[in-house]
Amino acid sequence: MTNPGGGGRRPTIKDVAAAAGTSRGTVSRVLNGGHWVSPQARAAVESAIRSTGYRANPHARSLASGRSGSIAFLLTEQQHRLFEDPVFSLLLRGTTASASAVGLQMVMLLAQEDADKTRVVEYAAAGHVDGVMLISRHRGDTMLTDLLQQGVPTVTLGVPLDLEGQVSTASADDRVGGRRATEHLLHTGRRRIATITGPMDTPGGALRLAGYRDALGDDFDESLVAHGDYLVPSGRAGMTALLDRAEDIDGVFAHNDLMAIGAIEALHDRGRRVPDDVGVIGFDDSGLAEQSSPTLTTMRQPFDRLSAEMVRLLMEAIEGAPPATVMLPATLIERESA
């Protein structure tokens, strides 16, 4: 059935609702993502859309809803991090694809300094985007609070350590992942296992360290902990400092792949063989793990699923749903380094 209204006019939502046997509100909800619509009603609406030949007018829909049809990918790190850390590009690619699949345009925003953050909050609060995905946040940064106070629907990547339960969140299970990484080194016979953490004001830094401590229990040794910033040089510096304190280290859990690669470089500088003398494991499986020498054993974050969940949670937040948390498992990927 095509154009049930006749006269050559373009089919409307009213036509779709009549064909589906539902209300116009149900049709509108399906067109805007299908939230709070039963599977049966959604199937009926989708069938009616096909049979009537209905096509949404994005501009008219935007005017009617008061929405922009855009969402923001917000990174609050230094700009060079976008190009140096492949995690961010993987997430940008994944969230852009997920947004496109539901008819949303992705806008990328960078906010490094306080003035940048103020402008971004004002931009989002003015309605230029319908919601924000905050990709990297440090504890105490007020930007998330400012967005929420302005009523901007927001989703974070990683649990916000000081605002847990107040905002929707998608993350890999950092604590369990940190524990399993350390347990893998223990299972390969390592006994003096060190760690190189991410910044302790980030969820990855704090929770992966907690997982490392869980695995070691009473054998935890504070002197075997070095702190980094998720980039290669800090992994190299952290490993060098650890070897200066404890030459008998035989295992290292670095909180991401970049720092693990830096740690391997430092071990090679000291004449230590990987994995023969020291086993090394990273976190992310960002693509670099397969290119390192030796190839890197790591905990894989499910970036495609995380991207899709962030977009889904943000769409629900835009519709007024309460905060929700999605926690996905990190998976051990065994390669040559441990």
Side-chain angles (χ1 to χ4, degrees):
M1 181 174 89
T2 302
N3 193 3
R9 69 174 176 82
R10 181 173 180 165
T12 67
I13 285 180
K14 182 178 179 180
D15 297 324
V16 175
T22 65
S23 70
R24 281 176 285 181
T26 298
V27 175
S28 180
R29 285 193 292 275
V30 170
L31 292 172
N32 285 282
H35 307 299
W36 303 296
V37 177
S38 71
Q40 295 83 1
R42 180 169 186 158
V45 170
E46 290 173 345
S47 176
I49 288 171
R50 290 191 295 270
S51 67
T52 60
Y54 172 81
R55 291 182 180 275
N57 182 328
H59 179 64
R61 200 165 83 190
S62 176
L63 289 174
S65 66
R67 294 178 183 164
S68 69
S70 299
I71 57 176
F73 181 100
L74 173 57
L75 185 63
T76 58
E77 300 287 350
Q78 295 294 312
Q79 186 171 345
H80 67 88
R81 297 291 294 270
L82 177 64
F83 306 100
E84 293 182 23
D85 191 334
V87 166
F88 296 135
S89 59
L90 286 169
L91 289 166
L92 178 59
R93 183 178 66 191
T95 53
T96 299
S98 294
S100 178
V102 293
L104 293 173
Q105 176 66 41
M106 182 69 72
V107 175
M108 183 172 178
L109 301 175
L110 296 173
Q112 304 170 33
E113 308 299 333
D114 289 344
D116 300 327
K117 295 177 182 180
T118 298
R119 282 192 293 271
V120 165
V121 172
E122 292 174 349
Y123 178 86
H128 296 295
V129 293
D130 298 325
V132 171
M133 290 178 291
L134 182 55
I135 301 303
S136 178
R137 179 180 183 267
H138 296 259
R139 190 203 317 254
D141 186 344
T142 63
M143 190 171 193
L144 176 56
T145 304
D146 294 342
L147 287 166
L148 296 177
Q149 287 178 344
Q150 290 293 327
V152 177
T154 304
V155 171
T156 66
L157 176 71
V159 178
L161 299 174
D162 50 349
L163 293 171
E164 191 169 353
Q166 298 182 44
V167 63
S168 290
T169 297
S171 65
D173 195 330
D174 289 308
R175 185 164 189 160
V176 171
R179 188 187 76 220
R180 289 180 176 168
T182 309
E183 287 173 344
H184 176 71
L185 290 169
L186 289 168
H187 292 159
T188 60
R190 317 291 174 173
R191 289 297 175 264
R192 289 284 283 168
I193 300 172
T195 190
I196 305 171
T197 79
M200 297 308 295
D201 59 355
T202 64
L207 295 174
R208 292 170 199 175
L209 177 60
Y212 164 84
R213 295 189 68 152
D214 292 341
L216 292 179
D218 293 340
D219 292 329
F220 173 76
D221 183 346
E222 188 71 49
S223 71
L224 297 184
V225 178
H227 300 290
D229 63 5
Y230 290 132
L231 295 180
V232 171
S234 72
R236 189 174 190 133
M239 191 72 252
T240 299
L242 287 166
L243 290 171
D244 288 342
R245 295 199 292 264
E247 279 286 344
D248 60 342
I249 289 171
D250 60 5
V252 180
F253 164 42
H255 284 197
N256 77 340
D257 293 347
L258 288 173
M259 293 193 299
I261 289 169
I264 290 173
E265 291 176 356
L267 287 163
H268 286 166
D269 290 345
R270 291 289 187 93
R272 308 294 294 275
R273 298 168 300 167
V274 178
D276 302 68
D277 301 322
V278 183
V280 178
I281 185 168
F283 203 107
D284 286 339
D285 199 28
S286 57
L288 295 176
E290 291 184 287
Q291 301 170 21
S292 69
S293 181
T295 56
L296 187 63
T297 295
T298 188
M299 300 300 300
R300 173 180 291 167
Q301 294 203 65
F303 292 112
D304 287 345
R305 290 183 62 195
L306 282 171
S307 298
E309 289 295 342
M310 289 190 73
V311 172
R312 182 184 67 81
L313 288 170
L314 186 55
M315 291 178 66
E316 292 184 355
I318 291 167
E319 293 290 341
T325 297
V326 172
M327 188 82 72
L328 301 174
T331 306
L332 175 68
I333 305 299
E334 294 187 54
R335 296 193 180 94
E336 297 170 343
S337 67

